[in-house]
C-alpha cells in the first residue's frame, strides 16, 4: 500500500539574504511571481527559518519528497537540456516545450546546486506557445555528480553508463582525473567506459601500459581517433541502444567524437590553448542527443578539476577494485594505507601487485587534493 498524501512542512533553500516578509506584505507583483498554488503558504523570520507547507508524499533518502500535482493538467516528459533561459523538455509523444520551474521545486532546501538537470524525468504543465512549467521532478535512478563549493553539482541523471573521455596527448592524459571519474561513476551507480581519444597524436604502443592497466581491472577501454576514424565503429556499438553521458577534461574531444559517431549532429568543437595545453570549453551545458543508430548521449561541459561528492576518505578504498584482496593483510582494521606500518596495500604496491599510479590517485583523493 502506497503512502498517503499529507501536508508537509519543508525548508526553502538558503541562497539569498532578504528582509523577511509575510504573505500579507507581498505586493501584487510579488504575488504574481511567487507561483503559490492552492494550499501553499510562505512564512518567514529571515532566511534561516523560511518554510513552506505543501501537499506531497515523503519518501526515503533515495526517493525524497514527491510533490503532489494535478495529473489531469500535467504531462510526463524528460529534460533534454538546461540553459539560463529555461529547460527544454520532451514529452512522451516527442513534442518539445521550453519550460521554467515552479518556485517550490527550485526552492526546497537541498545540498544540490540545481534542482533540475538534463536527464530528469519530470511532470510539467503545458501553457501556451509550446511553453510549460515543471511541477515535479521524479526520483532519479542514477546520477553523475561532482562537488562545487561544498555543494553537489549533478551533471546528469538517469543514464545507463558514463563514457570517460581522455586524450592520449594535447591535453596530456591524466590518470588521476580518470580515477576520480571512475569513483564518481561507482558512487552514482553508473557503469563506466573509458575512451582514450586522439590516438593519432601518440604511438599506440606507448598507450598499451595504461590500456592494459584498466583492462586488467575489468574496465572496458576503447581507443579512438576522429581524424582517422580508428575505433569509432567499436565505440558506436558500445553506445548503441544505451543512455550514455560523455564526460572528461576540457579539450579531450567529446564533441568531436559525437560528430564522428553521427555527423549530422554538427556540434561546435574547439582547440587546446597553445600556452597552457589545457582545453577550452565549447560545450556550456549538458544536452541529451538522440542517436540515429539507437540510444541517447549526453554531452557535458569539460572540467579541469573534479571534486568528489558524498565520498568519505575511508570509503575510497572500496572503489579501487584491486585493493580488495590486500585489505585483509593490513595490521589495523581502520588502516588508511598512508602512514601505517604493516599495511597490506602498501606492501602490494611495493611488490608490483598494485599500480603505483593508481595508489598515488588513491592518496590524492583521500587527502582531498584536486587534480
Amino acid at each position: 500500500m502506497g503512502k498517503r498524501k499529507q501536508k508537509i512542512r519543508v525548508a526553502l533553500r538558503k541562497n539569498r539574504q532578504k528582509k523577511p516578509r509575510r504573505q500579507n506584505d507581498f505586493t501584487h507583483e510579488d504575488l504574481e511571481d511567487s507561483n503559490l498554488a492552492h494550499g501553499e503558504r510562505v512564512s518567514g523570520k529571515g532566511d534561516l527559518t523560511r518554510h513552506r507547507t505543501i501537499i506531497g508524499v515523503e519518501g526515503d533518502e533515495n526517493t525524497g519528497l514527491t510533490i503532489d500535482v494535478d495529473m489531469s493538467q500535467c504531462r510526463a516528459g524528460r529534460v533534454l537540456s538546461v540553459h539560463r533561459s529555461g529547460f527544454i523538455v520532451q514529452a512522451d509523444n516527442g513534442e518539445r516545450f521550453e519550460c521554467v520551474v515552479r518556485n517550490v521545486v527550485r526552492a526546497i532546501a537541498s545540498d544540490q546546486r540545481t534542482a533540475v538537470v538534463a536527464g530528469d524525468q519530470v511532470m510539467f504543465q503545458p501553457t501556451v506557445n509550446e511553453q510549460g512549467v515543471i511541477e515535479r521532478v521524479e526520483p532519479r535512478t542514477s546520477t553523475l555528480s561532482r562537488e562545487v563549493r561544498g555543494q553537489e553539482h549533478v551533471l546528469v541523471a538517469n543514464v545507463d553508463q558514463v563514457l570517460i573521455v581522455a586524450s592520449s596527448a594535447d591535453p596530456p592524459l591524466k590518470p588521476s582525473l580518470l580515477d576520480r571519474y571512475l569513483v564518481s561513476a561507482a558512487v552514482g551507480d553508473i557503469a563506466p567506459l573509458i575512451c582514450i581519444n586522439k590516438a593519432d597524436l601518440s604511438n599506440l604502443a606507448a598507450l598499451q601500459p595504461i590500456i592494459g592497466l584498466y583492462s586488467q581491472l575489468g574496465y572496458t577501454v576503447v581507443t579512438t581517433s576522429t581524424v582517422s576514424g580508428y575505433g569509432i565503429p567499436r565505440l558506436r556499438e558500445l553506445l548503441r541502444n544505451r543512455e550514455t553521458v560523455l564526460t572528461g577534461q576540457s579539450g579531450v574531444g567529446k564533441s568531436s567524437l559525437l560528430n564522428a559517431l553521427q555527423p549530422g549532429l554538427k556540434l561546435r568543437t574547439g582547440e587546446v590553448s597553445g600556452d597552457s595545453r589545457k582545453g577550452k570549453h565549447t560545450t556550456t551545458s549538458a544536452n541529451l542527443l538522440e542517436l540515429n543508430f539507437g540510444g541517447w548521449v549526453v554531452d557535458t561541459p569539460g572540467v579541469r578539476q573534479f571534486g568528489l561528492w558524498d565520498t568519505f576518505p575511508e570509503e575510497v578504498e572500496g572503489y579501487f577494485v584491486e585493493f580488495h584482496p590486500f585489505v585483509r593483510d593490513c595490521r589495523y582494521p581502520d588502516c588508511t594505507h598512508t602512514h601505517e606500518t604493516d599495511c597490506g596495500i602498501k606492501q602490494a604496491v611495493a611488490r608490483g601487485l598494485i599500480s603505483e599510479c593508481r595508489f598515488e590517485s588513491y592518496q590524492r583523493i583521500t587527502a582531498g587534493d584536486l587534480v
Side-chain angles (χ1 to χ4, degrees), residues 46-245:
D47 248 7
L48 297 181
T49 55
R50 292 186 69 226
H51 290 76
R52 173 173 289 180
T53 299
I54 68 168
I55 305 297
V57 177
E58 286 189 292
D60 56 26
E61 60 180 7
N62 295 319
T63 59
L65 172 67
T66 301
I67 301 172
D68 184 42
V69 299
D70 186 349
M71 299 299 290
S72 66
Q73 300 294 320
C74 290
R75 297 175 64 180
R78 190 172 192 188
V79 178
L80 298 184
S81 61
V82 180
H83 304 282
R84 290 183 179 179
S85 59
F87 305 81
I88 302 301
V89 176
Q90 179 170 298
D92 289 344
N93 64 355
E95 290 184 277
R96 296 189 178 186
F97 296 78
E98 184 172 351
C99 295
V100 296
V101 181
R102 183 71 67 185
N103 281 359
V104 69
V105 176
R106 192 191 299 275
I108 290 176
S110 171
D111 289 331
Q112 299 173 4
R113 296 178 70 241
T114 49
V116 183
V117 301
D120 270 331
Q121 299 285 353
V122 298
M123 297 299 299
F124 72 99
Q125 182 172 334
T127 53
V128 294
N129 300 325
E130 297 181 336
Q131 296 181 333
V133 179
I134 295 174
E135 304 282 355
R136 183 174 76 197
V137 179
E138 305 293 8
R140 294 164 177 166
T141 59
S142 62
T143 58
L144 181 67
S145 303
R146 67 180 180 127
E147 180 179 319
V148 178
R149 299 185 184 91
Q151 293 180 307
E152 182 183 15
H153 180 196
V154 181
L155 300 174
V156 67
N158 305 320
V159 292
D160 300 324
Q161 58 187 9
V162 52
L163 181 68
I164 305 167
V165 184
S167 61
S168 65
D170 203 31
L173 180 66
K174 289 186 176 181
S176 55
L177 183 59
L178 188 60
D179 292 331
R180 285 176 178 270
Y181 279 117
L182 289 171
V183 172
S184 183
V187 172
D189 197 25
I190 306 175
L193 304 172
I194 298 173
C195 174
I196 301 178
N197 194 29
K198 302 187 180 181
D200 53 287
L201 300 181
S202 299
N203 185 335
L204 283 178
L207 296 175
Q208 288 309 309
I210 195 76
I211 295 173
L213 169 62
Y214 288 100
S215 296
Q216 289 174 2
L217 293 175
Y219 297 110
T220 300
V221 183
V222 58
T223 308
T224 58
S225 168
T226 59
V227 175
S228 66
Y230 178 80
I232 298 299
R234 184 184 178 214
L235 181 59
R236 187 177 288 113
E237 289 305 312
L238 290 171
L239 303 188
R240 188 183 302 276
N241 297 326
R242 303 293 297 273
E243 298 199 352
T244 309
V245 53

